[in-house]
Amino acid sequence: PTPVAIFFGEPGEVVSDPFFDGEGPERAGCIHCGGCMVGCRHNAKNTLDKNYLYFAEKWGAEIRAEANVLDIRPLYGPQPDNARYEVVYEHITDWFMKRKQVVRTRNVVVAGGVLGTVDLLLKCRDESGSLPKLSRRLGLRVRSNSEALIGVTARETAQDFSEGVAITSHFWVDEVTSVEPVRFPPGSSFMRTLMLPLESLKGKTTLAHFGHALWEGLKRPFDLLTVRVLPKWPEKNTVLLVMQTLDNRMSLRRGRSLWTLGFKGLVTHRDPDQPIPTVIETGRAILNRFADKVNGVPWVGMNELMNKPNTAHVLGGCGIGGNETEGVVDVNQQVFNYPGLYVADASVIPVNLGVNPSLTITAMTERAMAHIPQKVDAPPLEPLQKPEGLELVQRKDGRFLQKALPFIFALLPLSLLFLFKTFKRK
Ligand SMILES: Cc1cc2nc3c(=O)[nH]c(=O)nc-3n(C[C@H](O)[C@H](O)[C@H](O)COP(=O)(O)OP(=O)(O)OC[C@H]3O[C@@H](n4cnc5c(N)ncnc54)[C@H](O)[C@@H]3O)c2cc1C
Ligand code: SF4
């Protein structure tokens, strides 16, 4: 069994806070709906907004939601308010001309997750030019927890597999591989559009893989329908999350690709020496045994057919090191060359954990934050000194096309209407 952060009182019954000696918010007993994977709508799960964010707000922090941070600018020399950084953000819910705001602050903790943090810091280093002294190791050694998401859909079952909390168990198959059965609630079947029934891959190219999958589908049409079409998929389905502690990695850079639709964004690069595997054979063996037990159809994600690994647990990119040539942050998660700038999220995790990462992220963040003195005890902070030879250049953020897109979309129907009317008149 897996310990889970869920309140198991009377189903649906609201009680005063059972987790933090009554200081936290009210909770309701879990109703076993299976929906925890994307947060709990029934107030039973101990999620961030019910613990850290709740207490931060209760103790005086102001939370600005729907804010997308665009830039972090160091303020060199003494400042009237002792600020050391400016954080620039935009309101993401504005449709046109998103409003921008600036916060001046003494310290900044970046916690945007791997994709958010690495993207933002790469932009600050290479595009806006606000943090040019960030380590060259930024974006390197990104890991996927060496993971595969595969599963089994039962051909028929009297049991409802969607009932219960999302994850209830976890086991180690060998020294490096663990497997976690996961359930989803009724109605969440979108994921199946990316799945195909398959026991094993045949062929070496993507085309050969799809050809083999198509042939299998034609040979066993009922299995294909079971996985992709027939109703009540979550009620008959189990996802197996396979994770490994083996070391393999990729890197993240800013660039353009088919997946970014030609816009500049984060792109991944395979590591030539230690690439992330797409297929985990140990997991595949468990999958087929599980399928036999429940009279089910084993399925895999189309990403496997395209030889693209996937993950729900992306880790790394802001490595910890002894200096800026070894890592992006020091052991207390402070960014090299930028005093008072910290990273506190999955991007500092230095290995494939082989288990779900939230507790490790939380523990590392608590440790790093414990090194920052409380406001009342804090010694006066030294102003930031401009590094010698550093030229202060503020480049444009290079997002002209993204900003122009809403206007283009708004003008498109009008232009079509105009053309239509002109031709009609002729
Ligand atoms: C479907 C799913 C299920 C999972 N289940 C589990 C599980 O059961 N157990 C477990 O341990 N882990 C689980 N994980 C993994 C876990 O959720 C992540 O590893 C963890 O949340 C990462 O934490 P983080 O603080 O690094 O980043 P996140 O939790 O991703 O937080 C980053 C936040 O920063 C915001 N952000 C990013 N960029 C910017 C910006 N420029 N400006 C402002 N805000 C920004 C993002 O919107 C996000 O809110 C799951 C992941 C997925 C996708
Ligand atoms: S099963 Fe999960 S989502 Fe459903 S009530 Fe319980 S904790 Fe919440």
Side-chain angles (χ1 to χ4, degrees):
T2 318
V4 287
I6 290 174
F7 175 59
F8 292 109
E10 283 299 311
E13 192 180 295
V14 179
V15 296
S16 56
D17 164 49
F19 289 112
F20 305 104
D21 300 327
E23 293 288 313
E26 287 180 336
R27 310 295 174 111
C30 168
I31 59 165
H32 306 273
C33 69
C36 345
M37 203 35 74
V38 286
C40 173
R41 295 179 213 172
H42 307 285
N43 195 19
K45 195 175 156 185
N46 200 5
T47 40
L48 199 72
D49 49 333
K50 301 281 159 68
N51 43 52
Y52 287 99
L53 290 182
Y54 176 88
F55 282 108
E57 206 165 31
K58 187 171 173 179
W59 293 332
E62 186 196 338
I63 295 172
R64 300 194 184 182
E66 287 150 6
N68 179 37
V69 175
L70 302 171
D71 204 1
I72 302 169
R73 299 174 184 153
L75 300 165
Y76 294 115
Q79 303 290 323
D81 53 359
N82 293 325
R84 300 197 290 180
Y85 293 93
E86 263 182 5
V87 177
V88 184
Y89 70 88
E90 67 182 2
H91 292 255
I92 50 167
T93 40
D94 289 350
W95 279 83
F96 301 109
M97 305 295 287
K98 294 185 192 305
R99 278 167 299 152
K100 278 193 190 163
Q101 256 173 304
V102 177
V103 176
R104 290 169 66 89
T105 170
R106 299 195 304 173
N107 295 323
V108 181
V109 181
V110 184
V114 175
L115 302 183
T117 293
V118 173
D119 190 47
L120 174 64
L121 294 183
L122 281 173
K123 279 193 242 171
C124 293
R125 190 188 67 186
D126 302 334
E127 290 168 33
S128 76
S130 52
L131 301 173
K133 304 279 283 180
L134 285 173
S135 165
R136 302 314 297 177
R137 298 197 66 79
L138 180 62
L140 302 186
R141 299 203 178 192
V142 176
R143 296 179 171 87
S144 70
N145 218 14
S146 192
E147 213 161 270
L149 278 158
I150 46 186
V152 170
T153 310
R155 290 186 177 90
E156 51 192 59
T157 169
Q159 206 176 331
D160 182 352
F161 289 1
S162 70
E163 204 182 297
V165 301
I167 296 172
T168 54
S169 56
H170 173 260
F171 60 95
W172 287 88
V173 185
D174 55 31
E175 280 197 349
V176 295
T177 316
S178 74
V179 176
E180 216 170 52
V182 181
R183 56 165 60 90
F184 286 84
S188 28
S189 304
F190 182 74
M191 192 175 170
R192 75 196 307 192
T193 56
L194 303 171
M195 308 305 174
L196 282 174
L198 214 56
E199 276 170 24
S200 60
L201 292 183
K202 284 218 175 99
K204 289 205 169 124
T205 60
T206 299
L207 204 63
H209 291 158
F210 273 99
H212 171 62
L214 187 69
W215 177 239
E216 288 293 313
L218 289 173
K219 276 199 306 190
R220 297 180 288 137
F222 184 71
D223 285 357
L224 183 66
L225 291 175
T226 303
V227 172
R228 292 188 55 90
V229 181
L230 294 180
K232 296 197 180 260
W233 187 71
E235 286 90 332
K236 293 186 284 183
N237 191 63
T238 306
V239 173
L240 295 182
L241 175 57
V242 184
M243 301 170 271
Q244 292 191 309
T245 53
L246 293 177
D247 195 18
N248 42 61
R249 50 184 79 148
M250 60 182 171
S251 57
L252 288 175
R253 293 177 214 156
R254 297 262 311 154
R256 296 175 207 274
S257 82
L258 205 62
W259 305 103
T260 65
L261 302 175
F263 293 115
K264 205 156 188 200
L266 268 191
V267 292
T268 54
H269 286 266
R270 277 210 157 158
D271 188 283
D273 303 320
Q274 287 172 279
I276 296 172
T278 306
V279 177
I280 298 175
E281 290 302 344
T282 327
R284 208 40 98 57
I286 296 290
L287 179 78
N288 291 334
R289 279 172 63 190
F290 186 84
D292 285 344
K293 273 203 178 342
V294 299
N295 183 24
V297 186
W299 52 253
V300 301
M302 287 193 205
N303 62 293
E304 292 203 2
L305 277 61
M306 294 188 276
N307 194 21
K308 302 247 179 249
N310 68 359
T311 181
H313 299 143
V314 60
L315 312 168
C318 290
I320 299 174
N323 55 50
E324 66 170 287
T325 53
E326 290 175 3
V328 179
V329 296
D330 67 15
V331 284
N332 294 331
Q333 296 176 214
Q334 188 165 210
V335 176
F336 288 115
N337 297 326
Y338 293 100
L341 177 62
Y342 296 83
V343 176
D345 58 28
S347 59
V348 294
I349 292 189
V351 289
N352 276 333
L353 302 167
V355 291
N356 315 58
S358 289
L359 274 183
T360 309
I361 299 166
T362 313
M364 287 177 73
T365 302
E366 291 233 2
R367 183 191 161 279
M369 294 303 106
H371 283 90
I372 301 177
Q374 288 199 353
K375 226 177 190 173
V376 277
D377 309 325
L381 292 172
E382 289 292 315
L384 292 185
Q385 299 299 328
K386 194 171 100 171
E388 240 164 70
L390 180 72
E391 227 184 291
L392 289 183
V393 188
Q394 270 298 317
R395 291 182 220 135
K396 296 237 163 64
D397 64 9
R399 301 189 320 140
F400 174 75
L401 201 58
Q402 271 114 317
K403 282 181 201 158
L405 264 186
F407 290 103
I408 296 172
F409 281 125
L411 287 176
L412 203 65
L414 287 178
S415 331
L416 288 177
L417 193 70
F418 175 74
L419 283 175
F420 177 72
K421 290 221 159 172
T422 318
F423 277 115
K424 214 172 150 198
R425 241 180 271 136
K426 279 187 182 168

Short mmCIF file of all heavy atoms in Angstrom, two decimals, residues 241-275:
data_model
loop_
_atom_site.label_atom_id
_atom_site.label_comp_id
_atom_site.label_asym_id
_atom_site.label_seq_id
_atom_site.Cartn_x
_atom_site.Cartn_y
_atom_site.Cartn_z
N LEU A 241 2.25 2.79 -14.30
CA LEU A 241 3.32 3.78 -14.38
C LEU A 241 4.63 3.09 -14.00
O LEU A 241 4.79 2.65 -12.86
CB LEU A 241 3.00 4.94 -13.43
CG LEU A 241 4.05 6.02 -13.26
CD1 LEU A 241 4.41 6.64 -14.59
CD2 LEU A 241 3.53 7.10 -12.32
N VAL A 242 5.52 2.95 -14.99
CA VAL A 242 6.78 2.25 -14.76
C VAL A 242 7.89 3.29 -14.59
O VAL A 242 8.03 4.19 -15.43
CB VAL A 242 7.11 1.34 -15.97
CG1 VAL A 242 8.36 0.52 -15.70
CG2 VAL A 242 5.93 0.45 -16.30
N MET A 243 8.66 3.19 -13.51
CA MET A 243 9.71 4.19 -13.24
C MET A 243 11.02 3.47 -12.90
O MET A 243 10.99 2.40 -12.30
CB MET A 243 9.30 5.06 -12.04
CG MET A 243 8.00 5.79 -12.24
SD MET A 243 7.38 6.58 -10.75
CE MET A 243 6.39 5.29 -10.02
N GLN A 244 12.14 4.10 -13.27
CA GLN A 244 13.43 3.45 -13.01
C GLN A 244 14.44 4.43 -12.41
O GLN A 244 14.40 5.62 -12.69
CB GLN A 244 14.01 2.92 -14.32
CG GLN A 244 13.21 1.76 -14.90
CD GLN A 244 13.95 1.09 -16.03
OE1 GLN A 244 14.39 1.75 -16.94
NE2 GLN A 244 14.08 -0.23 -15.96
N THR A 245 15.38 3.86 -11.64
CA THR A 245 16.44 4.71 -11.06
C THR A 245 17.66 4.78 -11.97
O THR A 245 18.64 5.43 -11.63
CB THR A 245 16.89 4.16 -9.69
OG1 THR A 245 17.25 2.79 -9.86
CG2 THR A 245 15.81 4.27 -8.65
N LEU A 246 17.64 4.10 -13.11
CA LEU A 246 18.79 4.10 -14.03
C LEU A 246 19.10 5.52 -14.50
O LEU A 246 18.19 6.34 -14.64
CB LEU A 246 18.47 3.25 -15.27
CG LEU A 246 18.31 1.76 -15.04
CD1 LEU A 246 17.94 1.08 -16.33
CD2 LEU A 246 19.60 1.17 -14.46
N ASP A 247 20.40 5.81 -14.75
CA ASP A 247 20.73 7.17 -15.17
C ASP A 247 20.65 7.31 -16.68
O ASP A 247 21.35 6.63 -17.42
CB ASP A 247 22.12 7.56 -14.68
CG ASP A 247 22.32 9.07 -14.79
OD1 ASP A 247 21.29 9.78 -14.90
OD2 ASP A 247 23.46 9.54 -14.79
N ASN A 248 19.76 8.16 -17.13
CA ASN A 248 19.70 8.53 -18.55
C ASN A 248 19.17 9.95 -18.59
O ASN A 248 18.60 10.44 -17.61
CB ASN A 248 18.81 7.56 -19.34
CG ASN A 248 17.57 7.20 -18.58
OD1 ASN A 248 16.77 8.07 -18.27
ND2 ASN A 248 17.39 5.93 -18.26
N ARG A 249 19.36 10.65 -19.66
CA ARG A 249 19.08 12.09 -19.63
C ARG A 249 18.87 12.70 -21.02
O ARG A 249 19.13 12.05 -22.03
CB ARG A 249 20.25 12.78 -18.96
CG ARG A 249 21.57 12.34 -19.59
CD ARG A 249 22.74 12.93 -18.90
NE ARG A 249 23.10 12.26 -17.67
CZ ARG A 249 24.35 12.17 -17.23
NH1 ARG A 249 25.34 12.70 -17.91
NH2 ARG A 249 24.63 11.56 -16.11
N MET A 250 18.42 13.95 -21.01
CA MET A 250 18.30 14.73 -22.25
C MET A 250 18.67 16.17 -21.89
O MET A 250 18.97 16.46 -20.73
CB MET A 250 16.87 14.67 -22.78
CG MET A 250 15.86 15.21 -21.82
SD MET A 250 14.20 15.07 -22.45
CE MET A 250 13.23 15.51 -21.02
N SER A 251 18.63 17.08 -22.86
CA SER A 251 18.83 18.48 -22.51
C SER A 251 17.69 19.31 -23.09
O SER A 251 17.01 18.88 -24.03
CB SER A 251 20.18 18.98 -23.01
OG SER A 251 20.26 18.79 -24.39
N LEU A 252 17.48 20.47 -22.46
CA LEU A 252 16.44 21.40 -22.93
C LEU A 252 17.10 22.68 -23.41
O LEU A 252 18.00 23.20 -22.74
CB LEU A 252 15.50 21.77 -21.76
CG LEU A 252 14.53 20.71 -21.27
CD1 LEU A 252 13.78 21.23 -20.05
CD2 LEU A 252 13.53 20.32 -22.35
N ARG A 253 16.69 23.15 -24.57
CA ARG A 253 17.20 24.42 -25.10
C ARG A 253 16.04 25.22 -25.65
O ARG A 253 14.96 24.69 -25.87
CB ARG A 253 18.17 24.17 -26.26
CG ARG A 253 19.44 23.50 -25.82
CD ARG A 253 20.34 23.22 -27.01
NE ARG A 253 21.06 21.98 -26.74
CZ ARG A 253 21.58 21.19 -27.66
NH1 ARG A 253 21.42 21.49 -28.94
NH2 ARG A 253 22.23 20.11 -27.33
N ARG A 254 16.27 26.50 -25.92
CA ARG A 254 15.27 27.32 -26.61
C ARG A 254 15.53 27.20 -28.11
O ARG A 254 16.66 27.35 -28.56
CB ARG A 254 15.39 28.78 -26.18
CG ARG A 254 15.11 29.00 -24.70
CD ARG A 254 13.74 29.46 -24.38
NE ARG A 254 13.30 30.56 -25.17
CZ ARG A 254 12.02 30.83 -25.43
NH1 ARG A 254 11.06 30.06 -24.98
NH2 ARG A 254 11.70 31.88 -26.15
N GLY A 255 14.51 26.85 -28.84
CA GLY A 255 14.69 26.71 -30.29
C GLY A 255 13.33 26.52 -30.94
O GLY A 255 12.29 26.74 -30.33
N ARG A 256 13.35 26.12 -32.21
CA ARG A 256 12.10 25.92 -32.94
C ARG A 256 12.04 24.48 -33.42
O ARG A 256 13.07 23.89 -33.75
CB ARG A 256 12.05 26.85 -34.17
CG ARG A 256 12.03 28.31 -33.83
CD ARG A 256 12.11 29.17 -35.07
NE ARG A 256 12.71 30.46 -34.75
CZ ARG A 256 12.03 31.50 -34.29
NH1 ARG A 256 10.74 31.41 -34.12
NH2 ARG A 256 12.64 32.64 -34.01
N SER A 257 10.84 23.92 -33.44
CA SER A 257 10.67 22.57 -33.97
C SER A 257 9.23 22.43 -34.45
O SER A 257 8.41 23.35 -34.28
CB SER A 257 10.97 21.52 -32.91
OG SER A 257 9.84 21.33 -32.09
N LEU A 258 8.94 21.25 -35.00
CA LEU A 258 7.57 20.97 -35.43
C LEU A 258 6.60 21.08 -34.25
O LEU A 258 5.49 21.58 -34.36
CB LEU A 258 7.54 19.54 -36.00
CG LEU A 258 6.46 19.22 -37.01
CD1 LEU A 258 6.63 20.11 -38.24
CD2 LEU A 258 6.55 17.75 -37.40
N TRP A 259 7.09 20.61 -33.07
CA TRP A 259 6.23 20.58 -31.88
C TRP A 259 5.97 21.98 -31.33
O TRP A 259 5.03 22.19 -30.57
CB TRP A 259 6.84 19.68 -30.80
CG TRP A 259 7.12 18.31 -31.30
CD1 TRP A 259 8.34 17.80 -31.64
CD2 TRP A 259 6.17 17.25 -31.56
NE1 TRP A 259 8.21 16.51 -32.09
CE2 TRP A 259 6.89 16.15 -32.04
CE3 TRP A 259 4.78 17.14 -31.41
CZ2 TRP A 259 6.28 14.94 -32.39
CZ3 TRP A 259 4.18 15.94 -31.76
CH2 TRP A 259 4.93 14.86 -32.25
N THR A 260 6.85 22.96 -31.64
CA THR A 260 6.60 24.33 -31.16
C THR A 260 5.89 25.15 -32.25
O THR A 260 5.76 26.36 -32.12
CB THR A 260 7.92 25.06 -30.79
OG1 THR A 260 8.71 25.22 -31.98
CG2 THR A 260 8.72 24.32 -29.75
N LEU A 261 5.46 24.45 -33.32
CA LEU A 261 4.77 25.07 -34.46
C LEU A 261 5.58 26.22 -35.06
O LEU A 261 5.03 27.23 -35.51
CB LEU A 261 3.38 25.58 -34.03
CG LEU A 261 2.43 24.55 -33.45
CD1 LEU A 261 1.15 25.21 -32.96
CD2 LEU A 261 2.09 23.47 -34.48
N GLY A 262 6.90 26.06 -35.01
CA GLY A 262 7.76 27.07 -35.62
C GLY A 262 8.07 28.25 -34.70
O GLY A 262 8.94 29.05 -35.00
N PHE A 263 7.31 28.37 -33.58
CA PHE A 263 7.61 29.46 -32.64
C PHE A 263 8.84 29.08 -31.82
O PHE A 263 9.16 27.91 -31.69
CB PHE A 263 6.44 29.70 -31.67
CG PHE A 263 5.22 30.23 -32.35
CD1 PHE A 263 4.06 29.48 -32.40
CD2 PHE A 263 5.24 31.49 -32.92
CE1 PHE A 263 2.93 29.97 -33.02
CE2 PHE A 263 4.11 31.99 -33.55
CZ PHE A 263 2.96 31.23 -33.60
N LYS A 264 9.46 30.09 -31.21
CA LYS A 264 10.60 29.79 -30.35
C LYS A 264 10.05 29.25 -29.03
O LYS A 264 9.15 29.84 -28.42
CB LYS A 264 11.43 31.05 -30.12
CG LYS A 264 12.83 30.70 -29.78
CD LYS A 264 13.78 31.81 -30.11
CE LYS A 264 15.19 31.29 -29.91
NZ LYS A 264 16.14 32.35 -29.74
N GLY A 265 10.58 28.12 -28.60
CA GLY A 265 10.11 27.52 -27.35
C GLY A 265 11.13 26.52 -26.86
O GLY A 265 12.23 26.42 -27.39
N LEU A 266 10.74 25.76 -25.84
CA LEU A 266 11.67 24.75 -25.31
C LEU A 266 11.69 23.54 -26.23
O LEU A 266 10.63 23.04 -26.62
CB LEU A 266 11.19 24.27 -23.94
CG LEU A 266 11.70 24.98 -22.70
CD1 LEU A 266 11.32 24.19 -21.48
CD2 LEU A 266 13.19 25.24 -22.74
N VAL A 267 12.86 23.09 -26.59
CA VAL A 267 12.97 21.86 -27.38
C VAL A 267 13.91 20.90 -26.67
O VAL A 267 14.82 21.32 -25.95
CB VAL A 267 13.46 22.12 -28.83
CG1 VAL A 267 12.45 22.88 -29.63
CG2 VAL A 267 14.78 22.88 -28.84
N THR A 268 13.66 19.61 -26.86
CA THR A 268 14.48 18.61 -26.18
C THR A 268 15.55 18.07 -27.12
O THR A 268 15.36 18.04 -28.35
CB THR A 268 13.61 17.42 -25.72
OG1 THR A 268 12.92 16.93 -26.87
CG2 THR A 268 12.64 17.82 -24.66
N HIS A 269 16.67 17.67 -26.54
CA HIS A 269 17.72 17.02 -27.32
C HIS A 269 18.11 15.73 -26.63
O HIS A 269 18.37 15.73 -25.42
CB HIS A 269 18.93 17.94 -27.46
CG HIS A 269 18.69 19.05 -28.41
ND1 HIS A 269 19.04 18.99 -29.73
CD2 HIS A 269 18.07 20.24 -28.24
CE1 HIS A 269 18.67 20.10 -30.33
NE2 HIS A 269 18.07 20.87 -29.45
N ARG A 270 18.18 14.65 -27.39
CA ARG A 270 18.58 13.36 -26.82
C ARG A 270 20.05 13.39 -26.43
O ARG A 270 20.86 13.97 -27.14
CB ARG A 270 18.38 12.27 -27.85
CG ARG A 270 16.98 11.79 -27.86
CD ARG A 270 16.89 10.35 -28.26
NE ARG A 270 15.63 9.89 -27.71
CZ ARG A 270 14.98 8.85 -28.13
NH1 ARG A 270 15.47 8.13 -29.08
NH2 ARG A 270 13.84 8.50 -27.59
N ASP A 271 20.38 12.74 -25.34
CA ASP A 271 21.79 12.62 -24.97
C ASP A 271 22.39 11.48 -25.80
O ASP A 271 21.86 10.36 -25.80
CB ASP A 271 21.88 12.30 -23.47
CG ASP A 271 23.30 12.36 -22.99
OD1 ASP A 271 24.06 11.40 -23.26
OD2 ASP A 271 23.66 13.36 -22.35
N PRO A 272 23.48 11.75 -26.53
CA PRO A 272 24.01 10.70 -27.41
C PRO A 272 24.57 9.51 -26.62
O PRO A 272 24.54 8.38 -27.11
CB PRO A 272 25.12 11.40 -28.19
CG PRO A 272 25.43 12.66 -27.43
CD PRO A 272 24.24 13.00 -26.61
N ASP A 273 25.05 9.75 -25.39
CA ASP A 273 25.69 8.66 -24.64
C ASP A 273 24.71 7.93 -23.72
O ASP A 273 24.80 6.72 -23.54
CB ASP A 273 26.84 9.22 -23.78
CG ASP A 273 27.84 9.94 -24.67
OD1 ASP A 273 28.12 9.42 -25.77
OD2 ASP A 273 28.30 11.03 -24.29
N GLN A 274 23.81 8.69 -23.09
CA GLN A 274 22.87 8.04 -22.16
C GLN A 274 21.43 8.45 -22.51
O GLN A 274 20.78 9.18 -21.75
CB GLN A 274 23.20 8.45 -20.72
CG GLN A 274 24.45 7.77 -20.20
CD GLN A 274 24.85 8.34 -18.86
OE1 GLN A 274 25.47 9.40 -18.81
NE2 GLN A 274 24.50 7.68 -17.79
N PRO A 275 20.93 8.02 -23.68
CA PRO A 275 19.59 8.45 -24.08
C PRO A 275 18.51 7.84 -23.19
O PRO A 275 18.70 6.75 -22.63
CB PRO A 275 19.48 7.91 -25.51
CG PRO A 275 20.42 6.77 -25.58
CD PRO A 275 21.53 7.07 -24.63
#
